[in-house]
């Protein structure tokens, strides 16, 4: 059964400015995404945002409905079309591959958007997303349970994504993507070993779940986190994660091959 969830609930037109500063391409995650694209020479990037993880060694066309996000694309980035995932303005089999990175939870109709990606790609469809059911094991849930609970309603399940991609695919593969301790892509788990980062407003602003959660609940969590970092309580409970070179959390790479 498909869960009901908000669609396109984070307003990137109002709150997306400065997003690209924190959400940069991490080269280790990038290598996995590009490997999944295989030998594809033409790639469609759907929900492309500011252009993170787009290959530079092949032809790329981007789809991004937010003007604020398109404005943050560097001058050297691929051209971006103002369109939505659910209605891709391209013929069948127009591209060697299609990709979407940490965007499917913002689509109004996830299954339709994934079917459209499958339709326009004659090769692999590559999705980087979050398995929100795993987030409850992340220490952040101890301080911001409302953020984690909200994300669990917003992100489509892995089964929902793989089910939509299964039609027309010979194989749908799901891989855990380790998050490096010094990850430069500032999504929540990127700071698993740097808890102090969450005290910075710009870090929270780059994770939509914080922006959508009741500010009073966020403030309560911030006060507890700051107190526990100062007293050493965070270190006693979670300090072992600072020793991890990478973290197997909720980040998933889903690859559907025809």
């Amino acid at each position: 059964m498909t869960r009901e969830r908000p669609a396109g609930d984070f307003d990137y037109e109002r709150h997306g400015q400065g997003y690209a500063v924190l959400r940069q391409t991490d080269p280790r995650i990038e290598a996995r995404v590009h490997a999944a694209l295989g030998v594809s020479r033409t790639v469609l990037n759907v929900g492309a945002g500011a252009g993170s993880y787009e290959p530079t060694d092949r032809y790329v066309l981007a789809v991004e409905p937010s003007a604020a996000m398109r404005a943050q694309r560097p001058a050297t980035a691929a051209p971006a079309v103002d369109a939505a995932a659910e209605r891709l303005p391209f013929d069948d089999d127009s591209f060697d591959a299609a990709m979407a990175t940490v965007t499917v939870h913002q689509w109004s109709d996830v299954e339709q958007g994934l079917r459209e990606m499958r339709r326009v790609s004659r090769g692999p469809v590559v999705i980087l997303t979050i398995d929100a059911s795993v987030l409850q094991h992340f220490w952040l849930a101890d301080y911001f349970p409302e953020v984690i609970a909200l994300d669990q309603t917003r992100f489509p399940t892995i089964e929902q994504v793989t089910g939509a991609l299964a039609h027309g695919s010979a194989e749908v593969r799901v891989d855990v993507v380790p998050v490096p301790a010094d990850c430069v892509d500032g999504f929540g788990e990127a700071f698993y070993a740097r808890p102090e980062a969450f005290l910075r407003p710009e870090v929270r602003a780059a994770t939509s779940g914080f922006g959508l959660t009741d500010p009073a609940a966020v403030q309560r969590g911030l006060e507890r986190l700051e107190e526990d970092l100062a007293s050493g309580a965070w270190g006693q409970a979670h300090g072992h994660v600072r020793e991890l070179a990478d973290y197997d959390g909720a980040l998933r790479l889903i690859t559907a091959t025809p």
Side-chain angles (χ1 to χ4, degrees), residues 32-101:
R32 291 175 177 267
V33 173
H34 291 186
L37 293 170
V39 298
S40 304
R41 300 304 306 167
T42 61
V43 179
L44 180 68
N45 187 16
V46 180
S52 294
Y53 300 106
E54 287 177 357
T56 58
D57 60 346
R58 37 194 132 186
Y59 175 81
V60 176
L61 185 62
V63 166
E64 174 50 56
S66 167
M69 298 304 290
R70 294 196 304 272
Q72 295 180 66
R73 297 175 63 81
T76 56
V81 176
D82 180 4
E86 299 84 355
R87 295 173 300 279
L88 294 176
F90 309 109
D91 293 335
D92 295 358
D93 301 328
S94 294
F95 300 89
D96 291 337
M99 61 181 283
T101 60

Side-chain angles (χ1 to χ4, degrees), residues 146-258:
E146 297 87 354
V147 175
I148 301 302
L150 179 63
D151 278 348
Q152 289 178 334
T153 68
R154 297 174 65 223
F155 279 85
T157 65
I158 298 302
E159 293 75 17
Q160 186 179 352
V161 175
T162 57
L165 291 174
H167 180 71
S169 300
E171 179 186 15
V172 181
R173 174 173 174 168
V174 180
D175 293 301
V176 175
V177 179
V179 180
D182 58 349
C183 183
V184 298
D185 187 348
F187 57 93
E189 285 186 325
F191 301 102
Y192 74 87
R194 295 170 285 169
E196 298 83 3
F198 289 102
L199 302 179
R200 295 160 49 197
E202 66 271 23
V203 169
R204 300 193 303 276
T207 299
S208 57
F210 279 99
L212 292 168
T213 298
D214 177 10
V218 173
Q219 184 59 37
R220 288 194 299 270
L222 287 173
E223 291 172 359
R224 285 193 57 233
L225 179 59
E226 189 169 19
E227 290 172 2
D228 285 1
L229 287 170
S231 69
W234 185 93
Q236 291 177 355
H238 308 289
H240 64 279
V241 299
R242 293 192 191 271
E243 307 302 319
L244 299 177
D246 49 50
Y247 175 68
D248 288 346
L251 194 60
R252 299 289 183 269
L253 185 66
I254 302 174
T255 308
T257 54

